[in-house]
PDB file of all heavy atoms in Angstrom:
ATOM      1  N   MET A  87      26.276 -15.832  17.078  1.00 82.00           N
ATOM      2  CA  MET A  87      25.476 -16.907  17.650  1.00 82.00           C
ATOM      3  C   MET A  87      24.434 -17.389  16.656  1.00 82.00           C
ATOM      4  O   MET A  87      24.200 -18.600  16.500  1.00 82.00           O
ATOM      5  CB  MET A  87      24.793 -16.416  18.936  1.00 82.00           C
ATOM      6  CG  MET A  87      25.730 -16.240  20.112  1.00 82.00           C
ATOM      7  SD  MET A  87      26.484 -17.810  20.636  1.00 82.00           S
ATOM      8  CE  MET A  87      25.043 -18.731  21.150  1.00 82.00           C
ATOM      9  N   THR A  88      23.806 -16.452  15.963  1.00 80.00           N
ATOM     10  CA  THR A  88      22.806 -16.821  14.958  1.00 80.00           C
ATOM     11  C   THR A  88      23.445 -17.613  13.822  1.00 80.00           C
ATOM     12  O   THR A  88      22.900 -18.635  13.359  1.00 80.00           O
ATOM     13  CB  THR A  88      22.131 -15.549  14.402  1.00 80.00           C
ATOM     14  OG1 THR A  88      21.588 -14.784  15.482  1.00 80.00           O
ATOM     15  CG2 THR A  88      21.021 -15.908  13.437  1.00 80.00           C
ATOM     16  N   PHE A  89      24.609 -17.159  13.351  1.00 80.00           N
ATOM     17  CA  PHE A  89      25.309 -17.855  12.276  1.00 80.00           C
ATOM     18  C   PHE A  89      25.728 -19.255  12.708  1.00 80.00           C
ATOM     19  O   PHE A  89      25.616 -20.219  11.943  1.00 80.00           O
ATOM     20  CB  PHE A  89      26.541 -17.058  11.846  1.00 80.00           C
ATOM     21  CG  PHE A  89      27.399 -17.779  10.840  1.00 80.00           C
ATOM     22  CD1 PHE A  89      27.015 -17.870   9.506  1.00 80.00           C
ATOM     23  CD2 PHE A  89      28.591 -18.385  11.228  1.00 80.00           C
ATOM     24  CE1 PHE A  89      27.800 -18.557   8.590  1.00 80.00           C
ATOM     25  CE2 PHE A  89      29.381 -19.064  10.323  1.00 80.00           C
ATOM     26  CZ  PHE A  89      28.976 -19.153   8.986  1.00 80.00           C
ATOM     27  N   PHE A  90      26.195 -19.377  13.962  1.00 80.00           N
ATOM     28  CA  PHE A  90      26.621 -20.685  14.464  1.00 80.00           C
ATOM     29  C   PHE A  90      25.451 -21.667  14.501  1.00 80.00           C
ATOM     30  O   PHE A  90      25.590 -22.832  14.102  1.00 80.00           O
ATOM     31  CB  PHE A  90      27.229 -20.525  15.863  1.00 80.00           C
ATOM     32  CG  PHE A  90      27.696 -21.818  16.475  1.00 80.00           C
ATOM     33  CD1 PHE A  90      28.909 -22.368  16.096  1.00 80.00           C
ATOM     34  CD2 PHE A  90      26.922 -22.482  17.415  1.00 80.00           C
ATOM     35  CE1 PHE A  90      29.345 -23.578  16.641  1.00 80.00           C
ATOM     36  CE2 PHE A  90      27.343 -23.677  17.964  1.00 80.00           C
ATOM     37  CZ  PHE A  90      28.564 -24.233  17.576  1.00 80.00           C
ATOM     38  N   ILE A  91      24.306 -21.217  14.972  1.00 78.00           N
ATOM     39  CA  ILE A  91      23.118 -22.086  15.018  1.00 78.00           C
ATOM     40  C   ILE A  91      22.680 -22.457  13.604  1.00 78.00           C
ATOM     41  O   ILE A  91      22.323 -23.608  13.320  1.00 78.00           O
ATOM     42  CB  ILE A  91      21.978 -21.378  15.779  1.00 78.00           C
ATOM     43  CG1 ILE A  91      22.368 -21.199  17.255  1.00 78.00           C
ATOM     44  CG2 ILE A  91      20.677 -22.171  15.672  1.00 78.00           C
ATOM     45  CD1 ILE A  91      21.396 -20.354  18.043  1.00 78.00           C
ATOM     46  N   TYR A  92      22.724 -21.490  12.700  1.00 74.00           N
ATOM     47  CA  TYR A  92      22.350 -21.733  11.301  1.00 74.00           C
ATOM     48  C   TYR A  92      23.295 -22.757  10.657  1.00 74.00           C
ATOM     49  O   TYR A  92      22.872 -23.626   9.887  1.00 74.00           O
ATOM     50  CB  TYR A  92      22.413 -20.404  10.551  1.00 74.00           C
ATOM     51  CG  TYR A  92      22.278 -20.529   9.048  1.00 74.00           C
ATOM     52  CD1 TYR A  92      21.045 -20.758   8.455  1.00 74.00           C
ATOM     53  CD2 TYR A  92      23.401 -20.408   8.217  1.00 74.00           C
ATOM     54  CE1 TYR A  92      20.922 -20.862   7.076  1.00 74.00           C
ATOM     55  CE2 TYR A  92      23.295 -20.510   6.854  1.00 74.00           C
ATOM     56  CZ  TYR A  92      22.050 -20.743   6.281  1.00 74.00           C
ATOM     57  OH  TYR A  92      21.939 -20.851   4.913  1.00 74.00           O
ATOM     58  N   TRP A  93      24.562 -22.693  11.025  1.00 76.00           N
ATOM     59  CA  TRP A  93      25.582 -23.578  10.439  1.00 76.00           C
ATOM     60  C   TRP A  93      25.474 -25.002  11.001  1.00 76.00           C
ATOM     61  O   TRP A  93      25.680 -25.983  10.300  1.00 76.00           O
ATOM     62  CB  TRP A  93      26.963 -22.972  10.737  1.00 76.00           C
ATOM     63  CG  TRP A  93      28.114 -23.779  10.204  1.00 76.00           C
ATOM     64  CD1 TRP A  93      28.229 -24.336   8.963  1.00 76.00           C
ATOM     65  CD2 TRP A  93      29.308 -24.113  10.917  1.00 76.00           C
ATOM     66  NE1 TRP A  93      29.433 -24.992   8.845  1.00 76.00           N
ATOM     67  CE2 TRP A  93      30.126 -24.874  10.033  1.00 76.00           C
ATOM     68  CE3 TRP A  93      29.787 -23.831  12.181  1.00 76.00           C
ATOM     69  CZ2 TRP A  93      31.365 -25.366  10.400  1.00 76.00           C
ATOM     70  CZ3 TRP A  93      31.031 -24.308  12.541  1.00 76.00           C
ATOM     71  CH2 TRP A  93      31.805 -25.075  11.654  1.00 76.00           C
ATOM     72  N   GLN A  94      25.108 -25.117  12.271  1.00 73.00           N
ATOM     73  CA  GLN A  94      25.097 -26.416  12.934  1.00 73.00           C
ATOM     74  C   GLN A  94      23.739 -27.122  12.858  1.00 73.00           C
ATOM     75  O   GLN A  94      23.663 -28.331  13.097  1.00 73.00           O
ATOM     76  CB  GLN A  94      25.485 -26.251  14.408  1.00 73.00           C
ATOM     77  CG  GLN A  94      26.918 -25.810  14.631  1.00 73.00           C
ATOM     78  CD  GLN A  94      27.929 -26.886  14.260  1.00 73.00           C
ATOM     79  OE1 GLN A  94      27.650 -28.084  14.374  1.00 73.00           O
ATOM     80  NE2 GLN A  94      29.104 -26.467  13.784  1.00 73.00           N
ATOM     81  N   THR A  95      22.681 -26.397  12.584  1.00 75.00           N
ATOM     82  CA  THR A  95      21.339 -26.996  12.589  1.00 75.00           C
ATOM     83  C   THR A  95      20.587 -26.629  11.323  1.00 75.00           C
ATOM     84  O   THR A  95      21.120 -25.964  10.427  1.00 75.00           O
ATOM     85  CB  THR A  95      20.540 -26.502  13.812  1.00 75.00           C
ATOM     86  OG1 THR A  95      20.268 -25.104  13.648  1.00 75.00           O
ATOM     87  CG2 THR A  95      21.316 -26.706  15.102  1.00 75.00           C
ATOM     88  N   ASP A  96      19.342 -27.074  11.268  1.00 68.00           N
ATOM     89  CA  ASP A  96      18.467 -26.726  10.140  1.00 68.00           C
ATOM     90  C   ASP A  96      17.626 -25.491  10.419  1.00 68.00           C
ATOM     91  O   ASP A  96      16.747 -25.156   9.618  1.00 68.00           O
ATOM     92  CB  ASP A  96      17.527 -27.911   9.835  1.00 68.00           C
ATOM     93  CG  ASP A  96      18.289 -29.112   9.281  1.00 68.00           C
ATOM     94  OD1 ASP A  96      19.329 -28.887   8.640  1.00 68.00           O
ATOM     95  OD2 ASP A  96      17.849 -30.248   9.517  1.00 68.00           O
ATOM     96  N   LEU A  97      17.885 -24.847  11.520  1.00 71.00           N
ATOM     97  CA  LEU A  97      17.115 -23.654  11.846  1.00 71.00           C
ATOM     98  C   LEU A  97      17.518 -22.477  10.955  1.00 71.00           C
ATOM     99  O   LEU A  97      18.627 -22.428  10.423  1.00 71.00           O
ATOM    100  CB  LEU A  97      17.322 -23.278  13.314  1.00 71.00           C
ATOM    101  CG  LEU A  97      16.782 -24.273  14.350  1.00 71.00           C
ATOM    102  CD1 LEU A  97      17.243 -23.881  15.739  1.00 71.00           C
ATOM    103  CD2 LEU A  97      15.257 -24.323  14.298  1.00 71.00           C
ATOM    104  N   PHE A  98      16.612 -21.540  10.816  1.00 67.00           N
ATOM    105  CA  PHE A  98      16.834 -20.272  10.106  1.00 67.00           C
ATOM    106  C   PHE A  98      17.009 -20.445   8.593  1.00 67.00           C
ATOM    107  O   PHE A  98      17.479 -19.517   7.918  1.00 67.00           O
ATOM    108  CB  PHE A  98      18.038 -19.505  10.669  1.00 67.00           C
ATOM    109  CG  PHE A  98      18.019 -19.332  12.156  1.00 67.00           C
ATOM    110  CD1 PHE A  98      19.198 -19.282  12.885  1.00 67.00           C
ATOM    111  CD2 PHE A  98      16.826 -19.223  12.859  1.00 67.00           C
ATOM    112  CE1 PHE A  98      19.201 -19.120  14.246  1.00 67.00           C
ATOM    113  CE2 PHE A  98      16.821 -19.074  14.233  1.00 67.00           C
ATOM    114  CZ  PHE A  98      18.001 -19.015  14.933  1.00 67.00           C
ATOM    115  N   LYS A  99      16.683 -21.615   8.051  1.00 66.00           N
ATOM    116  CA  LYS A  99      16.753 -21.782   6.601  1.00 66.00           C
ATOM    117  C   LYS A  99      15.726 -20.880   5.933  1.00 66.00           C
ATOM    118  O   LYS A  99      14.595 -20.773   6.383  1.00 66.00           O
ATOM    119  CB  LYS A  99      16.472 -23.235   6.214  1.00 66.00           C
ATOM    120  CG  LYS A  99      17.464 -24.249   6.796  1.00 66.00           C
ATOM    121  CD  LYS A  99      18.845 -24.098   6.193  1.00 66.00           C
ATOM    122  CE  LYS A  99      19.786 -25.192   6.707  1.00 66.00           C
ATOM    123  NZ  LYS A  99      21.151 -25.052   6.183  1.00 66.00           N
TER     124      LYS A  99
END
Side-chain angles (χ1 to χ4, degrees):
M87 288 296 297
T88 305
F89 174 76
F90 180 79
I91 294 172
Y92 170 76
W93 180 46
Q94 293 291 329
T95 68
D96 292 331
L97 294 171
F98 309 148
K99 299 292 185 182

